[in-house]
Amino acid sequence: MDKIKVRDKEFKKAIPCEDIQQAIKKVAEKINRDFEGKETPLFLSILNGAFMFTADVFKELTISSEVSFVKFSSYRGTATSGKVKELIGLNEDLTGRHVIIMEDIVDTGLTINNVVRQIKTYNPKDVKIATMLFKPDACVEEVSLDYVGMEIPNEFIVGYGLDYDGLGRNYKDIYKVVS
């Protein structure tokens, strides 16, 4: 599909699934290199958006790995609220562990920086960030991203786990808003 409608908005295809899968392989290859021969990292996937990204990266990993899911949110509709809430907490002991946060998209940097601050209070050995998408033009805080699938313009998008008011996550391609 080249165009979709989600609620009251029209979207057109911006990133085809083939490009997404190439970005996934690039991220997984770098993680495999970085963690070869090291202690098993714990991947913390941020729900709901990063579930597809996490699953696809996991399919490409050749290293020993463990995954868990946490839920943080700062979005309402098509804009960030600027306030990050912890919705579902951690159950794992992170003390002395390599932690890789799996995020669907980093735009302002507010959410990911808040997540990193919270994760660091659990005394991990180190914290790395993997994101499928990064919007450098939207970033208002300095962020340290270790694995980036692709950089994109500052446009509102849906698909591949990303939503508009809870809808649109199921598309295998990524679509940008047109109206």
Side-chain angles (χ1 to χ4, degrees), residues 13-31:
K13 189 185 293 185
I15 306 171
C17 64
E18 297 81 13
D19 293 353
I20 294 168
Q21 292 307 311
Q22 284 301 322
I24 297 292
K25 287 181 182 184
K26 179 181 82 169
V27 167
E29 287 170 3
K30 189 167 191 293
I31 292 170

Side-chain angles (χ1 to χ4, degrees), residues 6-174:
V6 180
R7 296 206 187 270
D8 59 337
K9 305 242 181 267
E10 299 274 336
F11 295 83
K12 72 175 185 177
K13 189 185 293 185
I15 306 171
C17 64
E18 297 81 13
D19 293 353
I20 294 168
Q21 292 307 311
Q22 284 301 322
I24 297 292
K25 287 181 182 184
K26 179 181 82 169
V27 167
E29 287 170 3
K30 189 167 191 293
I31 292 170
N32 284 329
R33 281 192 309 273
D34 289 354
F35 284 90
E36 186 176 346
K38 291 187 178 178
E39 298 166 19
T40 300
L42 173 63
F43 290 78
L44 287 180
S45 181
I46 306 214
L47 294 174
N48 289 336
F51 75 98
M52 287 182 151
F53 174 55
T54 302
D56 284 348
V57 166
F58 251 62
K59 293 174 197 172
E60 301 294 329
L61 292 178
T62 57
I63 59 166
S64 174
S65 50
E66 185 180 346
V67 68
S68 188
F69 297 86
V70 293
K71 190 167 181 176
F72 297 86
S73 180
S74 69
Y75 264 83
R76 294 283 184 265
T78 61
T80 183
S81 68
K83 295 179 181 165
V84 180
K85 301 175 186 174
E86 181 179 348
L87 302 176
I88 299 173
L90 288 168
N91 295 320
E92 288 74 20
D93 181 5
L94 302 184
T95 306
R97 301 273 322 256
H98 295 288
V99 174
I100 301 173
I101 299 169
M102 302 294 287
E103 180 65 293
D104 55 352
I105 188 166
V106 173
D107 46 24
T108 64
L110 296 168
T111 300
I112 197 64
N113 283 343
N114 188 297
V115 170
V116 169
R117 280 191 294 277
Q118 290 186 45
I119 296 301
K120 285 185 175 180
T121 67
Y122 293 88
N123 301 313
K125 186 173 197 168
D126 57 23
V127 178
K128 305 255 185 225
I129 301 167
T131 185
M132 177 60 209
L133 303 167
F134 175 49
K135 293 182 181 179
D137 293 338
C139 204
V140 297
E141 285 195 7
E142 188 173 322
V143 293
S144 177
L145 303 174
D146 301 282
Y147 311 101
V148 177
M150 52 179 79
E151 291 187 5
I152 62 170
N154 188 17
E155 300 170 317
F156 188 75
I157 56 175
V158 299
Y160 194 70
L162 299 143
D163 73 303
Y164 170 42
D165 281 345
L167 299 177
R169 293 185 194 280
N170 57 301
Y171 296 103
K172 64 181 180 177
D173 304 298
I174 294 174

